[in-house]
Amino acid sequence: YMNLAQQAFDDGAIDRVLQLLEKHIALPDETDLREIEWFQLWHSSHLESKRIRSTDGPYGRMFASPDGKSVAVRRWSDDIDIFDASTMDVVKTLKTYTHMAYAQSVAFSSDGRWLAATVNEGGSDAVRILRTADWTEAALLSPDNSPRAISFSQDGTLAVAEEHGQISFWNGSAWKR
């Protein structure tokens, strides 16, 4: 049931998540057999104030900052909306001009200072780096091929997985390959 509930949660079917979880609430005379997974899904499914509705097409993937202050959501309409996690107000919309809604194409650095996102700049794929303090651009990186996944290491190094199995690494301070 927990696997089914997790899949329903991932699909955004919150009503189904609750339906599955409610089956496992112990009656007063029963032993409570729920474990941490149940409580995590239950809590996550009750964050009504955190739910948002798309105003410009459905959302693809969601990425939370490590400090919990921001949420970046890649929309099917190419853009990335960045929300203040406490109010869920949009603080920045990043135009990407690329259809990568379900790619791992957005990443926060482990210290929360940077957001990296795949974009299409002048007909070429690139990775835009934003400062999370004010959402201004810090760098525009040009990988050799189309970026398919991006990730930061603990030390701030940015890794970009590209088509054809190639991975590029950039220094997280000077943004040099």
Side-chain angles (χ1 to χ4, degrees):
Y1 278 96
M2 293 306 100
N3 287 337
L4 291 172
Q6 181 65 55
Q7 182 61 49
F9 184 84
D10 292 344
D11 292 341
I14 301 302
D15 292 338
R16 176 74 175 137
V17 173
L18 296 175
Q19 180 185 41
L20 289 165
L21 293 177
E22 286 170 353
K23 292 180 180 187
H24 298 280
I25 298 173
L27 296 173
D29 60 336
E30 294 178 334
T31 303
D32 190 348
L33 300 175
R34 297 173 293 173
E35 295 186 6
I36 187 105
E37 298 88 355
W38 187 96
F39 291 97
Q40 288 173 331
L41 282 168
W42 183 262
H43 175 72
S44 296
S45 298
H46 282 84
L47 297 175
E48 292 293 330
S49 64
K50 302 294 185 187
R51 290 187 191 178
I52 56 174
R53 297 275 187 254
S54 172
T55 57
D56 189 21
Y59 288 111
R61 303 264 324 255
M62 180 178 73
F63 308 86
S65 64
D67 61 9
K69 294 180 181 178
S70 303
V71 177
V73 183
R74 185 173 279 282
R75 286 193 268 143
W76 275 96
S77 63
D78 303 343
D79 300 334
I80 297 170
D81 286 334
I82 302 167
F83 296 89
D84 177 302
S86 62
T87 64
M88 291 314 286
D89 291 333
V90 176
V91 295
K92 172 90 174 168
T93 295
L94 177 62
K95 299 286 185 189
T96 66
Y97 308 104
T98 182
H99 296 284
M100 294 187 70
Y102 280 103
Q104 186 73 17
S105 53
V106 177
F108 282 96
S109 61
S110 59
D111 62 6
R113 291 180 33 203
W114 311 105
L115 173 88
T118 55
V119 298
N120 189 290
E121 195 69 30
S124 297
D125 290 326
V127 176
R128 186 175 309 276
I129 308 295
L130 298 178
R131 295 174 191 89
T132 60
D134 58 7
W135 302 109
T136 58
E137 184 175 312
L140 184 65
L141 311 177
S142 299
D144 295 328
N145 291 302
S146 298
R148 294 291 172 235
I150 53 181
S151 178
F152 283 94
S153 65
Q154 285 295 104
D155 69 358
T157 300
L158 176 68
V160 178
E162 301 166 347
E163 286 184 324
H164 313 297
Q166 181 178 345
I167 299 176
S168 299
F169 296 92
W170 275 273
N171 172 302
S173 56
W175 303 113
K176 300 290 182 195
R177 192 185 297 249

